[in-house]
Structures are given as C-alpha cells and as structure tokens.
Amino acid sequence: MRHFTPTNGQMMVENVNLSAIANEVGTPAYVYSAATLTRHYNVFKKAVSAMDALIAYSVKANSNLAVLRLLAKQGCGADVVSGGELARALKAGIPANKIVFSGVGKAEPELRAALSAGIFQFNVESIPELDLLNSIAVEMQTIAPIAFRINPNVCAGTHEKICTGRAENKFGVDIADADAAFERARNYPGIAVNGIAMHIGSQIDNLAPFASALTLGAGLIERLRAAGHRIETFDIGGGLGIPYHAEETAPPEPLQYGELVHRLTDGLGLKMIFEPGRMIVGNAGVLLAKTIYVKQGGARNFLIIDAAMNDLIRPALYDAHHDIEPVTTPAADTEMVSYDVVGPICESGDTFTQNRQLPEMQAGDLLVLHSAGAYGAVQASQYNSRPLVPEVLVSGDKFALIRERPSMEDILKTESIPDWV
Ligand SMILES: *Cc1c(COP(=O)(O)O)cnc(C)c1O
C-alpha cells in the first residue's frame, strides 16, 4: 500500500513533486498523502463492516489536526491516551461519543476533562484508576462509562518495546483479576460498565496473537455475563502490522484480520471497537530529507542527511527499518553503494540504517524514508536545538503546510533567564 512512486524520474506524492515541496518548505519535512490516508481508513472500515463496529483511530500514531480532521470527515472516532490528545480529537471535530480513552496513568484533570466532554468509554487499566474515576464522576454528578482493559498475557511476537499484552507489561488489569475488578465496579454509583478492552501490542505481523486474545476475551465475556454483568463492548485495540520492506512478505491484510475478529466474536451480540493507528497512517507518509555530505569514513561510507533521530526516532528506539529512496530516479548506469545513512546529531544512535545498498548519492540530493507516517512526527523532539520537523499534507495537485517549522526565535522565547542568574 505504497503511493509514493516515481513518475518521469521524480518521486511524486499524489500529483505533487517532492522537489517542489522541498523548495517551498525546506527539509527535513514529513509529507502525507490525503488520498492514501482516506483509502486506508476505508479499507479498514470495509474489513470490519460485517460487525457493529466503532473505529477509534489511535491518535498517538499521528496526531496532526489536519490528519484528524480528514479522518473525522470519514466518520472515524478516536482512541486517545492523554488530555492533550482528547483536546486535539475534539478540536478536529471527532464527536465525543466516538472517543475512547486508554492509558495506564490518566491523571485527575484528564479524567475530569473526558467526563465533561462526555466520551464514549474510559478503558480503565487499574483498580486505583477505577476508584478515582468513580469518585470524580459522583462529585460531578455524572456516570463514567467504562471498559476494563484486560492484560491477557499474550505474546504479540513483536519488538520488546511495543509488546503490551504480557503479564510483565504495565498495561491493563491482569486477566486473573478481571472478575474481581468487575465485581468492585458493579456497586459504584459513578461507574457504568460497557465491556472489556485489550491492546496487545503494535506492528503485529501475524494473526495468531489476535486469535489468542480474542478467544480469551470471548471466554471472559461469557463468564462475566454468567455472573450477571452487562457486557456490550469488546475493544480489541490496534496493532495490525504494516509492510515496511518493499521486498518482504507483508503482514496480514485488514480483510483477513476483520474476518478473524468476526469469526471469534460472532453470536456474542457485541459492539466491537477497533483502535488502528499505524495501519491507517504508517504508509501514508514519508520523511523527506536532503543529503548534506557523503563522507568516506575509516570503514564505512556515510550518507549524512539533514533528518536525524530527533525527527524520526523509530530506527534508534525500535531498530526499525525504513526503505530509503532518492527523489530523483537515478540513471540506469548509476553505481550501487553501501551506505550508513546517518543524521547530524551527536550520538552514534543517530543512524537510520547501516550498510544499505543505495544508488550513489551526491551532496544536495533529496531522498525519502518511506513508511514514516506513524510514530514519526509525533515522537519528534528539538534535541540538539533542531527545530521541530514540519508536516505537509498533499491532496491531488495541492499541498499545505499543516505544522510549521518553528524559528529559532520561537524556540528561544519559551525560555527565560532568572534575574538571579
Ligand atoms: C498505540 C495504541 C494503539 C495503536 O496501535 P497501532 O499499532 O498503531 O495500531 C491502539 N490502542 C492503544 C491502547 C494503544 O496504546
């Protein structure tokens, strides 16, 4: 599901030439395709259409207001993990009754804000959170609709740092303690139980972990119902993987995933909630960068580019792979060279890839890191006083800056020197 293909020797995003964006906005910059975003959402929607489904896009994957608005216009809901994300989702026009709130550490002001907004559901992750939410709801004279996020102790087989459904992870209520948690909630005046939630990890590349989690969830629901609990929703989280390598076998298609969920929950009369993030935005964006230097090191060739780990941390944080491609299609006789592609930051971890075979590049050449739409811009920082990377949205033959690059003046005006220094 790639839509960033060279036409007449130039890499295009929809009908816009990436060189034109580099000229106007500068580099590095994230560039997203509106058509691809919408298409991914609709592929997912179709895949779950046999069920009563709420698609709550995981805002943390890419929280730009323009991206959220685009999805809101398609009828998409939101899964938020902070008060800030809640504010964004509401501002983008996602109705409160399509918002679910996940996260292990929801703070009191965040719970209050979500109660005031009237969100669809709190995915409660612990007993202390349940107790606090109940007392706030009672004080506000309202009732908080909740699901318990259950930790099913399922290994998602993904990278350590994005596996969330094992007993040793911080997320959710242990499945062995679930019955007691529902019992406790039963008599709380500020709580109304909707159902259960699970989110077992991210970039999951096969269906088996989902099948395990769904089977455990369905069993738990039957047990809870037998104990007299009203269970109407099952939130199965996000986590469906996407292809990052053009050459390798791709993770399961959304359609296969949808069929699995349907098969394992059919007949339970549930409203299913899905929280896809990466699947919607990951392959809808690239990071556009420019070669600063080509340097012959002692043992390696370094391609030093103007994007760095502060702009895209996935390779440093998750050992993630991003396909890299020049914006201008190289001549057929261009030599292939083995490069370490690195950024300017003063850390050896600021390395996007090592020993990657790429067409020979020159200083000034533009290139893209593919599949950078999810967990890219949202994790960017200003480390090394590098201004936050801008974001651009393309639709057809138009494009717009949807997050600007702050000037050094903008950055410095947030800091001050006390007069006693
Ligand atoms: C991160 C997250 C998601 C989205 O995961 P993807 O792998 O991007 O689909 C969904 N739900 C919760 C609770 C999350 O923390």
Side-chain angles (χ1 to χ4, degrees), residues 58 60-61 79 81 102-103 125 149 171 199 201-203 237-240 275-279 374-375:
S58 175
K60 79 175 194 285
D79 168 47
V81 294
S102 308
E125 303 213 15
R149 176 166 173 186
F171 301 97
H199 169 72
S202 197
Q203 187 53 19
L240 189 60
E275 303 171 349
R278 190 188 306 271
M279 189 267 142
Y375 307 107

Side-chain angles (χ1 to χ4, degrees), residues 122-243:
F122 294 81
N123 289 347
V124 171
E125 303 213 15
S126 66
I127 297 299
E129 181 190 340
L130 177 77
D131 294 354
L132 178 61
L133 182 58
N134 176 59
S135 61
I136 299 171
V138 168
E139 182 214 303
M140 289 173 69
Q141 301 187 334
T142 182
I143 291 177
I146 71 147
F148 277 109
R149 176 166 173 186
I150 304 299
N151 184 324
N153 196 15
V154 164
C155 177
T158 183
H159 188 276
E160 177 95 32
K161 291 197 173 99
I162 49 175
C163 180
T164 57
R166 288 172 311 183
E168 62 266 39
N169 297 131
K170 68 180 175 181
F171 301 97
V173 173
D174 194 280
I175 191 155
D177 302 328
D179 305 75
F182 279 88
E183 253 350 282
R184 187 180 183 104
R186 197 200 288 266
N187 300 316
Y188 274 1
I191 299 289
V193 173
N194 280 355
I196 68 167
M198 289 180 179
H199 169 72
I200 56 172
S202 197
Q203 187 53 19
I204 300 171
D205 64 2
N206 74 94
L207 293 177
F210 291 114
S212 305
L214 286 159
T215 305
L216 284 166
L220 175 63
I221 287 169
E222 284 178 334
R223 203 161 76 230
L224 291 167
R225 283 177 170 172
H229 297 286
R230 191 187 55 97
I231 303 294
E232 294 180 334
T233 65
F234 185 175
D235 180 341
I236 188 57
L240 189 60
I242 62 163

Side-chain angles (χ1 to χ4, degrees), residues 6-34:
T7 313
N8 301 325
Q10 281 290 305
M11 174 108 54
M12 310 289 285
V13 176
E14 301 191 27
N15 303 326
V16 176
N17 189 326
L18 278 167
S19 312
I21 294 177
N23 280 339
E24 194 159 320
V25 176
T27 52
Y30 280 98
V31 184
Y32 311 128
S33 154

